[in-house]
Amino acid sequence: MFPFCDTFSSVRLSRVKGSRPSEQSLRVQDSNRMSLMYTTPQSKQPSFGKLNIPKPQSGTSERRTSFFGPRTSGVGMPRNSTMSGFGGTEKIKDARPLHDKSYVQQCIRQLHEFLTEQGYPGTLSSKTLQSPSTKEFVKMFEFIYCQLDPTFEMPNSKVEEEVPALFKTLGYPFVLSKCSMYSVGAPHTWPQALGALMWLIDNVKINWSLRKPKLLFSDFCEDGENIEEGAEFNKLFLDYTAETYSKFMQGDDTFEEEDEAFLVKLKKLYNVDEALLATMEEKHTILTDEVKKLEKESQTDRLMTKRMEKMKLQADLKKLQSYRASLDSFKDNLEKKDSELNAELETSVSHLETLKHERNELQHLLQNQKFTPADVERINREKRELLQTISSLTKSLENTEQHKWNEEIALAKVKEKAELKLTEYHKLARKLKLIPISAENACGHDFEIRPFECGAGSMVQCKTQIQMQLRKLVGDVEEENSRLTNMKLSLEESCEQVNSIITDKTNDLKQLREQIRKLDERWEGEQQELAREEQEWAAEMESVENHRKLLEKKVNYGYDEAVQQLKAAQQQYHLVLQETNEERRTVANNLASVFTTAANHLSITEKCLEDLHSRVQRICSKAVEEDEAAIQKLQETLKDFMSKAKNV
């Protein structure tokens, strides 16, 4: 509830324990004697305690292991305060439920939060933490251990032996075998390794708490004297200790009510200003974010990144332009086919209306006229003509249905191709960081194309808008290119000046060589004179030899430094190579998810088209049934007419 108050009270309690040895013998060192300090992993507050004390079991566990011997009392039974000898040969059993899936998931979430808050350099995800590799485990261990010792470096060889040895040196109370380091991500070894990491994180938090100033709330004290040694604090602490210890001896394991009451009293005693603490914490987070951002910018070569981005943007712009042209042509073809189909449909509807009108007129004439043999003969002739017309119309209707079905299939294929191209466009735009609106290169604009959500007019408007935004983006890139070109020209001019200086120095070197040649000739003439001065030359040669040895020693020292720098560069290269491989794996996973989404979308589209096809079939069958009923009615009226004509 009050993290700063928790930290303060925990530091006070640990200090008072160290300053009062008479009270230390009365307190049994149980791993869960104070719920305020040992709430991992159920609580996200920092836990404090000794380095060699194991982590507590979850709230559902029955008993926990103490370093003073196993306890035999049941839940709710009074405890025996008699302690066995410390540091015996008995192996301590890990009472944490490391094989409980919910407990393991809680530990994984807490590990992920800790690594993220402290700026872990590698890639983190819940999937990788479910079963990490040995390299990833070693990287996490090295990062957490560096929080204790910033100068620590993990050796490259025999990592499987170094990690258990380091845990044993730190005082980890449980056995971590060397064989488990060869397959850390296995289901039977990962929980033990995860428990060791959580124990190491608790040690880091304890170390942080001990490094803090002695008085966290000195600003809220009215007087300058030491509050710890005051009568009020001693009274509060002794009351709290006596109450919790009495409940502990009665069999209780948690003291939440006593903790809350103690924190409230401490808050009143030290006049805690929570608003000021919150503002200071916000300022601290803002300053740390700015420092991280400045460190990132200082480590990257901005000129090279800008050049690479420029080349990528130019290539992507050409692809987008070609893709836009193909989309325009495809859109024109679809509009043309749509207009043709609409015209054909209108003609069919008008023809159907004329046929219905003629049928109604014939039926009206049939009902109102008197028949003669000539009329009967004419009606028979018209009947034959009508039958022929009906058969031809039936054939034309079947042909029309077949043509409609073919056109629908072609339209579905075209739509599928359009969706594939649109998916490629969106994929390319995401690579260019143009989608979504909050992307790096989007600049608050929406480059996403939604062709089936709106009409053709809005599509044209969207097209023009995206073209304008892309032109603006290209203009910005060209402006940056021109600036870099000017910089390149200035660098070329400076390079030419350096070349001219080099040529001048070369001419001077030639003159010096000519002078050396003349001096050599003079030396040949004075060789006899130099023979007399041989002793002096020998002394000078000895001094030169000493000077040469000194230079050789310096050169060897420089060579050793260069070799060390080369090793450091090779280590950095391996780290960058591992990060690149991890990024490739994440990109592959993202591509797989994109392909699954596309496949699901295609299946949904196929279902929609099947529903549309069944609906069209129902409508056509209904129209055919109506026509057949009308024809049957005409036949019945014709039969009645013929029977009447025979009777006449």
Side-chain angles (χ1 to χ4, degrees):
M1 185 184 297
F2 303 102
F4 288 98
C5 295
D6 293 347
T7 307
F8 174 73
S9 62
S10 302
V11 173
R12 293 292 172 272
L13 293 177
S14 62
R15 272 198 234 132
V16 171
K17 281 197 296 182
S19 63
R20 294 174 177 83
S22 61
E23 296 175 5
Q24 180 69 27
S25 60
L26 297 176
R27 300 173 64 86
V28 180
Q29 293 185 357
D30 193 345
S31 61
N32 196 22
R33 67 183 183 273
M34 296 179 68
S35 62
L36 175 66
M37 297 180 183
Y38 303 100
T39 54
T40 308
Q42 283 80 5
S43 173
K44 295 182 181 179
Q45 297 175 357
S47 61
F48 304 97
K50 292 188 176 181
L51 291 178
N52 59 353
I53 295 177
K55 289 181 61 180
Q57 198 174 359
S58 64
T60 59
S61 62
E62 294 182 357
R63 292 293 89 203
R64 285 175 279 281
T65 304
S66 172
F67 279 103
F68 297 101
R71 281 187 267 164
T72 58
S73 60
V75 178
M77 296 294 292
R79 305 174 196 249
N80 188 4
S81 61
T82 303
M83 297 177 289
S84 62
F86 180 75
T89 58
E90 180 185 359
K91 288 187 178 180
I92 300 172
K93 184 179 179 182
D94 194 351
R96 296 173 294 180
L98 295 176
H99 295 286
D100 187 3
K101 291 184 179 179
S102 60
Y103 181 82
V104 172
Q105 293 301 321
Q106 287 177 0
C107 292
I108 288 172
R109 283 195 295 272
Q110 191 172 4
L111 175 62
H112 186 271
E113 290 175 2
F114 179 82
L115 294 177
T116 307
E117 289 174 359
Q118 302 306 320
Y120 180 66
T123 57
L124 281 176
S125 65
S126 58
K127 292 184 178 178
T128 56
L129 290 179
Q130 294 295 331
S131 59
S133 61
T134 305
K135 291 183 179 179
E136 293 171 348
F137 175 78
V138 171
K139 286 177 66 178
M140 289 188 286
F141 171 77
E142 183 179 2
F143 177 77
I144 299 171
Y145 196 92
C146 286
Q147 306 298 321
L148 293 172
D149 184 9
T151 61
F152 173 72
E153 290 184 1
M154 179 64 70
N156 296 327
S157 61
K158 297 184 179 179
V159 177
E160 293 78 8
E161 298 179 0
E162 289 292 333
V163 172
L166 289 171
F167 271 112
K168 189 175 181 181
T169 305
L170 287 174
Y172 185 58
F174 309 115
V175 178
L176 194 65
S177 63
K178 298 177 183 178
C179 299
S180 62
M181 293 292 103
Y182 290 99
S183 59
V184 176
H188 62 282
T189 57
W190 171 232
Q192 282 76 16
L194 179 62
L197 288 180
M198 297 307 299
W199 179 86
L200 186 59
I201 288 173
D202 287 341
N203 288 339
V204 171
K205 291 179 180 178
I206 293 168
N207 190 20
W208 288 347
S209 67
L210 295 176
R211 288 180 184 176
K212 291 183 179 179
K214 291 185 178 180
L215 192 58
L216 296 178
F217 298 101
S218 58
D219 296 337
F220 307 114
C221 299
E222 295 179 356
D223 52 355
E225 62 185 8
N226 191 1
I227 298 176
E228 280 188 14
E229 302 302 328
E232 294 182 0
F233 175 78
N234 291 335
K235 183 177 180 301
L236 288 175
F237 177 72
L238 289 174
D239 292 341
Y240 170 76
T241 306
E243 189 175 356
T244 54
Y245 185 74
S246 63
K247 288 194 175 183
F248 174 74
M249 294 302 295
Q250 290 175 4
D252 292 342
D253 285 333
T254 58
F255 315 101
E256 295 179 357
E257 296 179 358
E258 290 78 6
D259 293 341
E260 291 179 359
F262 184 63
L263 288 177
V264 170
K265 291 177 183 178
L266 285 177
K267 181 180 173 185
K268 290 181 180 178
L269 179 63
Y270 299 128
N271 297 324
V272 177
D273 190 356
E274 297 180 3
L276 179 60
L277 291 177
T279 54
M280 294 296 288
E281 188 175 1
E282 290 178 358
K283 289 180 182 178
H284 179 263
T285 54
I286 291 169
L287 289 174
T288 52
D289 292 338
E290 289 181 357
V291 169
K292 289 179 182 178
K293 185 177 179 183
L294 290 173
E295 287 178 353
K296 275 186 182 177
E297 289 180 355
S298 63
Q299 290 175 1
T300 56
D301 189 359
R302 298 179 66 187
L303 181 60
M304 291 300 295
T305 54
K306 290 290 183 183
R307 286 177 179 173
M308 296 298 292
E309 288 178 0
K310 175 193 169 186
M311 294 172 64
K312 290 180 180 178
L313 286 173
Q314 287 178 351
D316 295 336
L317 181 62
K318 290 180 182 178
K319 292 180 181 178
L320 281 174
Q321 288 176 353
S322 61
Y323 183 67
R324 186 187 64 186
S326 62
L327 280 178
D328 291 337
S329 60
F330 180 69
K331 178 185 173 185
D332 294 336
N333 293 330
L334 285 178
E335 289 178 352
K336 186 176 178 181
K337 288 183 179 180
D338 187 34
S339 60
E340 290 176 358
L341 288 173
N342 287 330
E344 188 174 353
L345 184 61
E346 288 176 358
T347 54
S348 299
V349 169
S350 61
H351 185 61
L352 183 62
E353 290 294 332
T354 53
L355 288 175
K356 287 181 179 179
H357 184 65
E358 289 178 0
R359 186 191 65 185
N360 293 330
E361 288 179 354
L362 289 173
Q363 192 172 3
H364 181 68
L365 289 173
L366 183 63
Q367 291 175 358
N368 294 329
Q369 70 180 355
K370 294 179 180 180
F371 300 104
T372 60
D375 293 333
V376 172
E377 187 178 353
R378 181 174 55 80
I379 287 170
N380 290 328
R381 188 173 60 252
E382 290 178 355
K383 174 188 173 183
R384 289 191 295 271
E385 292 176 356
L386 285 172
L387 290 173
Q388 292 177 359
T389 306
I390 288 168
S391 62
S392 62
L393 286 175
T394 305
K395 290 181 181 179
S396 63
L397 180 62
E398 292 177 356
N399 294 330
T400 305
E401 291 293 332
Q402 185 65 30
H403 181 67
K404 180 182 178 183
W405 172 248
N406 294 332
E407 290 296 329
E408 286 178 353
I409 292 173
L411 180 62
K413 291 181 179 178
V414 168
K415 187 176 180 182
E416 184 178 356
K417 291 180 181 178
E419 288 176 353
L420 288 174
K421 290 186 177 180
L422 187 62
T423 306
E424 292 178 359
Y425 165 75
H426 287 163
K427 184 178 177 182
L428 184 61
R430 287 189 179 91
K431 280 187 178 178
L432 294 175
K433 297 181 180 179
L434 297 175
I435 293 175
I437 301 176
S438 59
E440 182 180 352
N441 298 328
C443 300
H445 302 297
D446 189 7
F447 288 94
E448 189 172 0
I449 298 175
R450 303 177 181 88
F452 302 111
E453 294 181 2
C454 47
S458 57
M459 275 295 296
V460 173
Q461 185 179 0
C462 180
K463 171 186 169 185
T464 54
Q465 186 178 0
I466 290 174
Q467 285 178 353
M468 290 173 63
Q469 292 167 1
L470 287 174
R471 288 195 188 98
K472 184 178 178 182
L473 187 61
V474 170
D476 295 338
V477 173
E478 289 178 352
E479 184 178 353
E480 184 71 17
N481 187 17
S482 63
R483 186 178 66 78
L484 294 174
T485 306
N486 294 329
M487 189 182 295
K488 178 185 174 183
L489 292 174
S490 63
L491 290 173
E492 288 178 353
E493 289 177 358
S494 61
C495 184
E496 289 178 357
Q497 292 177 1
V498 171
N499 289 331
S500 64
I501 292 170
I502 289 171
T503 53
D504 295 338
K505 294 296 181 182
T506 305
N507 295 328
D508 295 339
L509 183 63
K510 289 181 180 178
Q511 293 177 2
L512 289 173
R513 286 177 180 174
E514 185 67 23
Q515 291 177 4
I516 289 169
R517 187 180 60 80
K518 291 179 181 180
L519 288 173
D520 288 337
E521 292 177 356
R522 185 178 176 184
W523 176 77
E524 289 177 358
E526 295 178 353
Q527 188 174 5
Q528 294 178 358
E529 185 179 354
L530 291 174
R532 291 191 301 268
E533 300 174 355
E534 187 175 0
Q535 294 178 355
E536 296 178 0
W537 281 107
E540 289 182 3
M541 285 295 292
E542 187 176 357
S543 64
V544 168
E545 184 68 21
N546 294 329
H547 184 62
R548 185 187 66 79
K549 290 179 180 179
L550 181 62
L551 288 176
E552 186 176 1
K553 187 185 294 183
K554 291 182 179 180
V555 168
N556 290 330
Y557 178 75
Y559 174 74
D560 294 334
E561 287 185 351
V563 169
Q564 291 178 359
Q565 292 177 0
L566 178 61
K567 289 181 179 179
Q570 288 177 351
Q571 291 178 357
Q572 188 175 4
Y573 167 74
H574 289 305
L575 290 175
V576 171
L577 185 62
Q578 291 178 358
E579 292 177 357
T580 307
N581 293 330
E582 291 176 356
E583 289 178 357
R584 285 179 180 172
R585 186 174 62 188
T586 54
V587 167
N589 293 331
N590 292 334
L591 285 175
S593 63
V594 166
F595 288 148
T596 344
T597 308
N600 294 331
H601 181 68
L602 285 175
S603 63
I604 292 169
T605 308
E606 288 177 358
K607 288 181 180 178
C608 293
L609 289 174
E610 287 175 0
D611 294 338
L612 182 62
H613 176 61
S614 61
R615 200 180 304 162
V616 170
Q617 278 186 345
R618 286 198 299 270
I619 293 169
C620 293
S621 62
K622 188 175 180 181
V624 170
E625 287 175 1
E626 289 178 357
D627 291 335
E628 287 178 356
I631 291 168
Q632 190 174 1
K633 190 182 284 185
L634 283 174
Q635 289 176 356
E636 289 175 359
T637 53
L638 183 60
K639 287 179 181 178
D640 294 335
F641 176 75
M642 289 176 66
S643 62
K644 288 179 182 179
K646 287 180 181 179
N647 293 328
V648 172

